[in-house]
Coordinates of all heavy atoms in Angstrom, one line a residue:
M364 N -13.2 -13.1 -2.8 CA -13.3 -12.3 -4.0 C -12.5 -13.0 -5.1 O -11.4 -13.4 -4.8 CB -12.8 -10.9 -3.7 CG -12.8 -10.0 -4.9 SD -12.9 -8.3 -4.6 CE -14.5 -8.1 -3.9
T365 N -13.0 -13.1 -6.3 CA -12.4 -13.8 -7.3 C -11.4 -12.8 -8.1 O -11.5 -11.6 -7.9 CB -13.4 -14.3 -8.4 OG1 -14.0 -13.2 -9.0 CG2 -14.4 -15.2 -7.8
E366 N -10.5 -13.4 -8.8 CA -9.6 -12.6 -9.6 C -10.4 -11.7 -10.6 O -9.9 -10.6 -10.8 CB -8.6 -13.5 -10.3 CG -7.5 -12.7 -11.0 CD -6.6 -11.8 -10.0 OE1 -6.3 -12.3 -8.9 OE2 -6.3 -10.7 -10.4
S367 N -11.4 -12.3 -11.1 CA -12.3 -11.4 -12.1 C -12.8 -10.2 -11.3 O -12.9 -9.1 -11.9 CB -13.4 -12.3 -12.6 OG -14.2 -11.6 -13.4
D368 N -13.3 -10.4 -10.1 CA -13.8 -9.3 -9.3 C -12.7 -8.3 -9.1 O -13.0 -7.1 -9.1 CB -14.4 -9.8 -8.0 CG -15.6 -10.7 -8.1 OD1 -16.3 -10.6 -9.1 OD2 -15.8 -11.5 -7.2
L369 N -11.6 -8.7 -8.8 CA -10.4 -7.8 -8.5 C -10.1 -7.0 -9.8 O -9.9 -5.8 -9.8 CB -9.2 -8.6 -8.1 CG -9.2 -9.0 -6.6 CD1 -8.0 -10.0 -6.3 CD2 -9.3 -7.8 -5.6
S370 N -10.2 -7.7 -10.9 CA -9.9 -7.0 -12.2 C -10.9 -5.9 -12.5 O -10.5 -4.8 -12.9 CB -9.9 -8.0 -13.3 OG -8.9 -8.9 -13.2
V371 N -12.1 -6.2 -12.2 CA -13.2 -5.2 -12.3 C -12.9 -4.0 -11.5 O -13.1 -2.8 -11.8 CB -14.6 -5.8 -12.1 CG1 -15.6 -4.7 -12.0 CG2 -15.0 -6.7 -13.2
L372 N -12.6 -4.3 -10.2 CA -12.3 -3.2 -9.2 C -11.0 -2.4 -9.7 O -11.0 -1.2 -9.6 CB -12.0 -3.8 -7.8 CG -13.2 -4.2 -7.0 CD1 -12.8 -4.8 -5.7 CD2 -14.0 -2.8 -6.7
R373 N -10.1 -3.1 -10.1 CA -8.8 -2.3 -10.7 C -9.2 -1.5 -11.9 O -8.7 -0.3 -11.9 CB -7.8 -3.4 -11.1 CG -7.1 -4.1 -9.9 CD -6.0 -5.0 -10.3 NE -5.6 -5.8 -9.1 CZ -5.6 -7.1 -9.1 NH1 -6.1 -7.9 -10.0 NH2 -5.2 -7.7 -7.9
E374 N -10.0 -1.9 -12.7 CA -10.4 -1.1 -13.8 C -11.2 0.1 -13.4 O -10.9 1.2 -13.8 CB -11.3 -1.9 -14.8 CG -11.6 -1.2 -16.1 CD -12.4 -2.0 -17.1 OE1 -12.1 -3.3 -17.1 OE2 -13.2 -1.4 -17.9
R375 N -12.1 -0.1 -12.4 CA -12.9 1.0 -11.9 C -12.0 2.0 -11.2 O -12.1 3.3 -11.4 CB -13.9 0.5 -10.9 CG -15.1 -0.2 -11.6 CD -16.1 -0.8 -10.6 NE -16.4 0.2 -9.5 CZ -16.9 -0.3 -8.3 NH1 -17.2 -1.6 -8.1 NH2 -17.1 0.5 -7.4
A376 N -11.0 1.5 -10.5 CA -10.1 2.4 -9.8 C -9.2 3.2 -10.8 O -9.0 4.4 -10.5 CB -9.2 1.6 -8.9
E377 N -8.8 2.6 -11.8 CA -8.0 3.3 -12.8 C -8.8 4.4 -13.5 O -8.3 5.3 -14.1 CB -7.5 2.3 -13.8 CG -6.4 1.4 -13.3 CD -5.9 0.3 -14.3 OE1 -6.3 0.4 -15.5 OE2 -5.2 -0.6 -13.9
N378 N -10.2 4.2 -13.5 CA -11.0 5.2 -14.1 C -11.5 6.2 -13.2 O -12.4 7.0 -13.4 CB -12.2 4.5 -14.8 CG -11.8 3.7 -16.0 OD1 -11.0 4.2 -16.8 ND2 -12.4 2.6 -16.2
G379 N -10.9 6.2 -12.0 CA -11.1 7.4 -11.0 C -12.2 7.0 -10.0 O -12.7 7.9 -9.3
D380 N -12.6 5.8 -9.8 CA -13.7 5.4 -8.9 C -13.0 5.3 -7.5 O -12.3 4.3 -7.2 CB -14.3 4.1 -9.3 CG -15.5 3.7 -8.4 OD1 -15.5 4.0 -7.2 OD2 -16.3 2.9 -8.9
A381 N -13.2 6.3 -6.7 CA -12.6 6.4 -5.4 C -13.1 5.2 -4.4 O -12.3 4.7 -3.6 CB -12.9 7.7 -4.6
T382 N -14.4 4.7 -4.6 CA -14.8 3.6 -3.8 C -14.0 2.3 -4.2 O -13.7 1.6 -3.2 CB -16.4 3.4 -4.0 OG1 -17.0 4.6 -3.6 CG2 -16.9 2.3 -3.2
A383 N -13.8 2.1 -5.5 CA -13.0 1.0 -5.9 C -11.6 1.0 -5.3 O -11.1 0.0 -4.9 CB -13.0 0.9 -7.4
V384 N -11.0 2.2 -5.3 CA -9.7 2.3 -4.7 C -9.7 1.9 -3.3 O -8.9 1.1 -2.7 CB -9.2 3.7 -4.9 CG1 -7.9 3.9 -4.1 CG2 -9.0 4.1 -6.4
D385 N -10.7 2.4 -2.5 CA -10.8 2.1 -1.1 C -11.0 0.6 -0.9 O -10.4 0.1 0.1 CB -12.0 2.9 -0.5 CG -11.8 4.4 -0.4 OD1 -10.6 4.8 -0.5 OD2 -12.8 5.1 -0.2
I386 N -11.8 0.0 -1.7 CA -12.0 -1.4 -1.5 C -10.7 -2.2 -1.8 O -10.4 -3.1 -1.0 CB -13.2 -1.9 -2.4 CG1 -14.5 -1.4 -2.0 CG2 -13.2 -3.5 -2.4 CD1 -15.6 -1.5 -3.0
L387 N -10.0 -1.8 -2.8 CA -8.8 -2.5 -3.1 C -7.8 -2.3 -2.0 O -7.0 -3.2 -1.7 CB -8.2 -1.9 -4.5 CG -8.9 -2.4 -5.7 CD1 -8.4 -1.7 -7.0 CD2 -8.7 -3.9 -5.9
I388 N -7.6 -1.1 -1.4 CA -6.8 -0.9 -0.3 C -7.2 -1.8 0.8 O -6.2 -2.4 1.5 CB -6.8 0.5 0.1 CG1 -6.2 1.5 -1.0 CG2 -6.1 0.8 1.4 CD1 -6.5 3.0 -0.8
E389 N -8.4 -1.9 1.2 CA -8.8 -2.7 2.3 C -8.5 -4.2 2.1 O -7.9 -4.9 2.9 CB -10.4 -2.5 2.5 CG -10.8 -3.3 3.7 CD -12.3 -3.1 4.0 OE1 -12.9 -2.2 3.4 OE2 -12.9 -3.9 4.7
L390 N -8.8 -4.6 0.9 CA -8.5 -6.1 0.5 C -7.1 -6.3 0.6 O -6.6 -7.4 1.1 CB -9.1 -6.5 -0.8 CG -10.7 -6.4 -0.9 CD1 -11.1 -6.6 -2.3 CD2 -11.2 -7.5 0.0
A391 N -6.3 -5.4 0.0 CA -4.9 -5.6 -0.1 C -4.2 -5.6 1.3 O -3.3 -6.4 1.6 CB -4.2 -4.6 -1.0
G392 N -4.7 -4.7 2.1 CA -4.3 -4.6 3.5 C -4.5 -5.9 4.3 O -3.6 -6.4 5.0
E393 N -5.7 -6.5 4.1 CA -6.1 -7.7 4.7 C -5.2 -8.9 4.3 O -4.9 -9.8 5.0 CB -7.6 -8.1 4.5 CG -8.5 -7.2 5.1 CD -10.0 -7.3 4.7 OE1 -10.2 -8.2 3.9 OE2 -10.9 -6.6 5.2
R394 N -4.9 -8.9 3.0 CA -4.0 -10.0 2.4 C -2.5 -9.7 2.6 O -1.7 -10.6 2.3 CB -4.3 -10.1 0.9 CG -5.7 -10.6 0.6 CD -5.8 -11.0 -0.9 NE -5.1 -10.0 -1.8 CZ -5.7 -9.0 -2.4 NH1 -7.0 -8.7 -2.2 NH2 -5.0 -8.2 -3.2
G395 N -2.1 -8.5 3.0 CA -0.7 -8.2 3.1 C -0.1 -8.1 1.7 O 1.0 -8.3 1.5
D396 N -1.0 -7.7 0.7 CA -0.6 -7.6 -0.7 C 0.2 -6.3 -1.0 O -0.4 -5.3 -1.4 CB -1.8 -7.8 -1.6 CG -1.4 -7.9 -3.1 OD1 -0.3 -7.6 -3.5 OD2 -2.3 -8.2 -3.8
M397 N 1.5 -6.3 -0.7 CA 2.3 -5.1 -0.9 C 2.4 -4.7 -2.3 O 2.4 -3.5 -2.6 CB 3.6 -5.3 -0.3 CG 3.6 -5.4 1.2 SD 5.1 -5.7 2.1 CE 6.1 -4.3 1.5
D398 N 2.3 -5.5 -3.3 CA 2.4 -5.2 -4.7 C 1.1 -4.4 -5.1 O 1.3 -3.3 -5.7 CB 2.4 -6.4 -5.6 CG 3.7 -7.2 -5.5 OD1 4.8 -6.5 -5.2 OD2 3.8 -8.4 -5.8
E399 N 0.0 -4.7 -4.7 CA -1.3 -4.0 -4.9 C -1.2 -2.7 -4.3 O -1.5 -1.7 -4.8 CB -2.5 -4.8 -4.4 CG -3.8 -4.1 -4.7 CD -4.4 -4.5 -6.1 OE1 -4.5 -5.7 -6.3 OE2 -4.5 -3.6 -6.9
L400 N -0.8 -2.6 -3.0 CA -0.7 -1.4 -2.3 C 0.4 -0.4 -2.9 O 0.1 0.8 -3.0 CB -0.4 -1.6 -0.8 CG -1.5 -2.3 0.0 CD1 -0.9 -2.7 1.4 CD2 -2.7 -1.4 0.2
R401 N 1.4 -1.0 -3.3 CA 2.5 -0.2 -4.0 C 2.0 0.4 -5.2 O 2.2 1.6 -5.5 CB 3.7 -1.1 -4.2 CG 4.9 -0.3 -4.7 CD 6.1 -1.3 -4.9 NE 6.5 -2.0 -3.7 CZ 6.3 -3.3 -3.6 NH1 5.9 -4.1 -4.6 NH2 6.7 -3.9 -2.5
R402 N 1.2 -0.4 -6.0 CA 0.7 0.1 -7.3 C -0.3 1.3 -7.0 O -0.2 2.3 -7.7 CB -0.1 -1.0 -8.0 CG -0.6 -0.7 -9.4 CD -1.3 -1.8 -10.1 NE -2.5 -2.2 -9.3 CZ -3.6 -1.5 -9.3 NH1 -3.7 -0.4 -9.9 NH2 -4.6 -2.0 -8.6
L403 N -1.2 1.0 -6.1 CA -2.1 2.1 -5.7 C -1.4 3.4 -5.2 O -1.8 4.5 -5.5 CB -3.2 1.6 -4.8 CG -4.1 0.5 -5.2 CD1 -4.8 -0.2 -4.2 CD2 -5.1 1.1 -6.3
A404 N -0.5 3.1 -4.3 CA 0.3 4.3 -3.8 C 1.0 5.0 -4.9 O 1.0 6.3 -4.9 CB 1.2 3.8 -2.7
D405 N 1.6 4.3 -5.7 CA 2.4 4.9 -6.8 C 1.5 5.8 -7.8 O 1.9 6.6 -8.5 CB 3.2 3.9 -7.6 CG 4.3 3.4 -6.8 OD1 4.7 3.9 -5.8 OD2 4.9 2.3 -7.2
N406 N 0.2 5.3 -7.8 CA -0.8 6.1 -8.6 C -1.4 7.2 -7.8 O -2.4 7.8 -8.3 CB -1.9 5.1 -9.1 CG -1.4 4.2 -10.2 OD1 -0.5 4.6 -11.0 ND2 -2.0 3.0 -10.3
G407 N -0.8 7.5 -6.6 CA -1.3 8.7 -5.9 C -2.2 8.6 -4.8 O -2.6 9.6 -4.2
S408 N -2.5 7.3 -4.4 CA -3.3 7.1 -3.2 C -2.5 7.2 -1.9 O -1.7 6.4 -1.6 CB -4.1 5.8 -3.3 OG -4.7 5.5 -2.0
S409 N -2.8 8.3 -1.2 CA -2.1 8.5 0.2 C -2.6 7.4 1.1 O -1.8 6.9 2.0 CB -2.3 9.9 0.7 OG -3.6 10.2 0.9
D410 N -3.8 7.0 1.0 CA -4.4 5.9 1.9 C -3.7 4.6 1.6 O -3.4 3.9 2.6 CB -5.9 5.8 1.7 CG -6.7 6.9 2.2 OD1 -6.2 7.7 3.1 OD2 -7.9 7.1 1.8
A411 N -3.4 4.3 0.4 CA -2.6 3.1 0.0 C -1.3 3.2 0.6 O -0.7 2.2 1.0 CB -2.7 2.9 -1.5
A412 N -0.6 4.3 0.5 CA 0.7 4.5 1.0 C 0.7 4.3 2.5 O 1.6 3.6 3.0 CB 1.3 5.9 0.7
D413 N -0.2 4.8 3.2 CA -0.3 4.6 4.6 C -0.5 3.2 5.0 O 0.2 2.6 5.9 CB -1.5 5.4 5.2 CG -1.3 6.9 5.2 OD1 -0.1 7.3 5.0 OD2 -2.3 7.7 5.4
Q414 N -1.3 2.4 4.2 CA -1.5 1.0 4.5 C -0.3 0.3 4.2 O 0.1 -0.7 4.9 CB -2.7 0.5 3.6 CG -3.1 -0.9 3.9 CD -3.6 -1.1 5.3 OE1 -4.5 -0.4 5.8 NE2 -3.2 -2.1 6.0
L415 N 0.4 0.6 3.1 CA 1.7 0.0 2.7 C 2.7 0.1 3.8 O 3.4 -0.8 4.1 CB 2.1 0.6 1.4 CG 3.4 0.0 0.8 CD1 3.3 -1.5 0.6 CD2 3.8 0.7 -0.5
I416 N 2.8 1.3 4.3 CA 3.7 1.5 5.5 C 3.3 0.6 6.6 O 4.2 0.0 7.2 CB 3.7 3.0 5.9 CG1 4.3 3.9 4.8 CG2 4.4 3.3 7.3 CD1 4.0 5.4 5.0
E417 N 2.1 0.5 7.0 CA 1.7 -0.4 8.1 C 2.0 -1.8 7.8 O 2.6 -2.5 8.7 CB 0.1 -0.3 8.2 CG -0.4 -1.0 9.4 CD -1.9 -0.8 9.6 OE1 -2.4 0.4 9.5 OE2 -2.6 -1.8 9.9
V418 N 1.7 -2.3 6.6 CA 2.1 -3.7 6.3 C 3.6 -3.9 6.3 O 4.1 -4.9 6.8 CB 1.5 -4.1 4.9 CG1 1.9 -5.5 4.5 CG2 -0.1 -4.1 5.0
A419 N 4.3 -2.9 5.7 CA 5.8 -3.1 5.6 C 6.3 -3.1 7.0 O 7.4 -3.8 7.4 CB 6.4 -2.0 4.8
T420 N 5.8 -2.3 7.9 CA 6.3 -2.2 9.3 C 6.0 -3.6 10.0 O 6.8 -4.2 10.7 CB 5.6 -1.1 10.0 OG1 5.9 0.2 9.4 CG2 6.0 -1.1 11.5
E421 N 4.7 -4.1 9.8 CA 4.4 -5.4 10.4 C 5.3 -6.5 10.0 O 5.6 -7.4 10.7 CB 3.0 -5.7 10.1 CG 2.0 -4.9 10.8 CD 0.5 -5.1 10.3 OE1 0.3 -5.9 9.4 OE2 -0.4 -4.4 10.8
L422 N 5.7 -6.4 8.7 CA 6.5 -7.5 8.1 C 8.0 -7.2 8.3 O 8.9 -8.0 7.9 CB 6.2 -7.7 6.6 CG 4.9 -8.1 6.2 CD1 4.7 -8.1 4.8 CD2 4.6 -9.5 6.8
G423 N 8.4 -6.0 8.8 CA 9.8 -5.7 9.1 C 10.5 -5.4 7.7 O 11.7 -5.6 7.6
D424 N 9.8 -5.0 6.7 CA 10.4 -4.7 5.4 C 10.9 -3.4 5.3 O 10.4 -2.4 4.8 CB 9.2 -4.9 4.3 CG 9.8 -4.9 2.9 OD1 10.9 -4.4 2.6 OD2 9.1 -5.5 2.0
M425 N 12.2 -3.3 5.7 CA 13.0 -2.0 5.7 C 13.2 -1.5 4.4 O 13.2 -0.3 4.2 CB 14.3 -2.3 6.5 CG 14.1 -2.8 7.9 SD 13.3 -1.7 8.9 CE 14.6 -1.2 10.0
N426 N 13.3 -2.4 3.4 CA 13.6 -1.9 2.1 C 12.4 -1.1 1.5 O 12.6 -0.2 0.8 CB 14.0 -3.2 1.1 CG 15.3 -3.7 1.4 OD1 16.2 -3.1 1.8 ND2 15.4 -5.0 1.2
E427 N 11.3 -1.7 1.7 CA 10.0 -0.9 1.3 C 9.9 0.4 2.0 O 9.6 1.4 1.4 CB 8.7 -1.8 1.5 CG 7.5 -1.2 0.9 CD 7.6 -1.0 -0.6 OE1 8.3 -1.7 -1.3 OE2 6.9 0.0 -1.1
L428 N 10.1 0.4 3.3 CA 10.1 1.7 4.0 C 11.1 2.6 3.5 O 10.9 3.8 3.4 CB 10.3 1.4 5.6 CG 9.1 0.7 6.2 CD1 9.5 0.3 7.6 CD2 7.8 1.5 6.2
R429 N 12.3 2.1 3.2 CA 13.4 3.0 2.7 C 13.0 3.5 1.3 O 13.2 4.7 1.1 CB 14.7 2.2 2.6 CG 15.9 3.0 2.5 CD 17.2 2.2 2.8 NE 17.3 1.8 4.2 CZ 17.2 0.5 4.6 NH1 16.9 -0.5 3.8 NH2 17.3 0.2 5.9
R430 N 12.4 2.7 0.5 CA 12.0 3.1 -0.9 C 11.0 4.3 -0.7 O 11.1 5.3 -1.4 CB 11.4 1.9 -1.6 CG 11.0 2.3 -3.1 CD 10.2 1.2 -3.7 NE 8.8 1.1 -3.2 CZ 7.8 1.9 -3.7 NH1 8.0 2.7 -4.7 NH2 6.6 1.8 -3.2
L431 N 10.0 4.0 0.1 CA 9.0 5.1 0.3 C 9.6 6.4 0.9 O 9.3 7.5 0.5 CB 7.8 4.6 1.2 CG 7.0 3.5 0.7 CD1 6.2 2.9 1.8 CD2 6.0 4.1 -0.4
A432 N 10.5 6.2 1.9 CA 11.1 7.4 2.5 C 12.0 8.1 1.4 O 12.0 9.4 1.3 CB 12.0 6.9 3.6
D433 N 12.7 7.4 0.6 CA 13.5 8.0 -0.5 C 12.7 8.7 -1.5 O 13.2 9.6 -2.1 CB 14.4 6.9 -1.2 CG 15.5 6.4 -0.3 OD1 15.8 7.0 0.7 OD2 16.1 5.4 -0.7
N434 N 11.4 8.3 -1.6 CA 10.5 9.0 -2.5 C 9.8 10.1 -1.9 O 8.8 10.7 -2.4 CB 9.6 8.0 -3.1 CG 10.2 7.2 -4.2 OD1 11.1 7.6 -4.9 ND2 9.7 5.9 -4.3
G435 N 10.2 10.5 -0.7 CA 9.6 11.7 0.0 C 8.5 11.4 1.0 O 7.9 12.3 1.5
N436 N 8.2 10.2 1.3 CA 7.2 9.9 2.3 C 7.6 10.1 3.7 O 8.5 9.3 4.2 CB 6.6 8.4 2.1 CG 5.4 8.2 2.9 OD1 5.4 8.3 4.1 ND2 4.3 7.9 2.3
I437 N 7.2 11.1 4.3 CA 7.8 11.5 5.7 C 7.3 10.4 6.7 O 8.1 10.1 7.6 CB 7.2 12.9 6.1 CG1 7.8 13.9 5.2 CG2 7.5 13.2 7.6 CD1 7.2 15.3 5.3
T438 N 6.1 9.9 6.6 CA 5.6 8.9 7.5 C 6.5 7.6 7.5 O 6.9 7.0 8.5 CB 4.1 8.5 7.2 OG1 3.4 9.7 7.3 CG2 3.7 7.5 8.3
A439 N 6.9 7.2 6.3 CA 7.7 6.1 6.1 C 9.1 6.4 6.7 O 9.7 5.5 7.4 CB 7.9 5.7 4.6
A440 N 9.6 7.5 6.5 CA 10.9 8.0 7.1 C 10.9 7.9 8.6 O 11.8 7.4 9.2 CB 11.3 9.3 6.5
E441 N 9.8 8.4 9.1 CA 9.6 8.4 10.6 C 9.6 7.0 11.1 O 10.2 6.6 12.2 CB 8.5 9.2 11.0 CG 8.6 10.7 10.8 CD 7.3 11.5 11.0 OE1 6.2 10.8 11.1 OE2 7.4 12.7 11.0
Q442 N 8.8 6.1 10.5 CA 8.7 4.8 10.9 C 10.1 4.0 10.8 O 10.4 3.3 11.6 CB 7.6 4.0 10.1 CG 7.2 2.7 10.5 CD 6.6 2.8 11.9 OE1 5.8 3.5 12.2 NE2 7.0 1.8 12.8
L443 N 10.8 4.3 9.7 CA 12.1 3.7 9.5 C 13.0 4.1 10.6 O 13.7 3.3 11.1 CB 12.6 4.1 8.1 CG 13.8 3.4 7.7 CD1 13.6 2.0 7.5 CD2 14.3 4.0 6.3
M444 N 13.0 5.4 11.0 CA 13.8 5.8 12.1 C 13.5 5.2 13.4 O 14.3 4.8 14.2 CB 13.7 7.3 12.3 CG 14.5 8.1 11.2 SD 14.5 9.9 11.3 CE 13.8 10.3 12.9
E445 N 12.2 5.0 13.6 CA 11.7 4.3 14.9 C 12.2 2.9 14.9 O 12.7 2.4 16.0 CB 10.2 4.4 15.0 CG 9.7 5.7 15.5 CD 8.2 5.7 15.6 OE1 7.6 4.6 15.9 OE2 7.5 6.7 15.4
L446 N 12.1 2.2 13.8 CA 12.5 0.8 13.8 C 14.0 0.6 13.9 O 14.4 -0.4 14.5 CB 12.0 0.2 12.5 CG 10.5 -0.1 12.4 CD1 10.1 -0.6 11.0 CD2 10.0 -1.0 13.4
T447 N 14.8 1.6 13.4 CA 16.2 1.4 13.5 C 16.8 1.9 14.8 O 17.9 1.5 15.1 CB 16.9 2.1 12.3 OG1 16.5 3.5 12.3 CG2 16.6 1.5 11.0
E448 N 16.0 2.5 15.5 CA 16.4 3.0 16.9 C 16.3 1.9 17.9 O 17.0 1.9 18.8 CB 15.6 4.2 17.4 CG 15.9 5.5 16.7 CD 14.9 6.6 17.1 OE1 14.0 6.3 17.9 OE2 15.1 7.7 16.6
E449 N 15.5 0.9 17.7 CA 15.3 -0.1 18.7 C 16.4 -1.1 18.7 O 17.2 -1.4 18.0 CB 13.9 -0.9 18.3 CG 12.8 0.1 18.5 CD 11.5 -0.6 18.1 OE1 11.4 -1.8 17.6 OE2 10.4 0.0 18.3

């Protein structure tokens, strides 16, 4: 997928196209693109937040998990607790 294609998807997502959001989440998850996932999650996508938690966990990014937990994401808080218990 080209940067131009991604730009079109981002524009569609910003205009409320749920399918475009889903595609962006899938692509960002595959690439481990936490910036894209963070942007989508911050714009209200719980699916993006879930994917962001998964990627952050895989990468051991405690700061990202902490940021999400501090913003009230219970799943991130639980994941953070699990990782710090080990």
Side-chain angles (χ1 to χ4, degrees):
M364 178 156 295
T365 68
E366 190 59 41
S367 176
D368 294 335
L369 285 173
S370 293
V371 169
L372 279 174
R373 288 180 186 122
E374 184 176 331
R375 286 177 42 202
E377 287 175 17
N378 290 321
D380 184 334
T382 300
V384 172
D385 291 343
I386 293 168
L387 285 171
I388 292 168
E389 183 178 344
L390 292 171
E393 289 171 0
R394 293 189 320 266
D396 186 344
M397 291 179 55
D398 291 334
E399 184 89 57
L400 291 169
R401 189 178 304 113
R402 184 182 62 74
L403 293 165
D405 289 348
N406 284 332
S408 172
S409 60
D410 290 338
D413 291 343
Q414 186 67 48
L415 181 57
I416 291 166
E417 185 177 317
V418 172
T420 299
E421 289 171 2
L422 297 175
D424 190 335
M425 305 296 252
N426 290 330
E427 185 62 29
L428 291 171
R429 199 168 290 110
R430 183 189 77 83
L431 291 164
D433 289 347
N434 286 326
N436 188 301
I437 293 170
T438 305
E441 291 171 348
Q442 190 62 46
L443 190 59
M444 284 181 12
E445 284 182 30
L446 290 174
T447 56
E448 287 177 355
E449 294 178 357

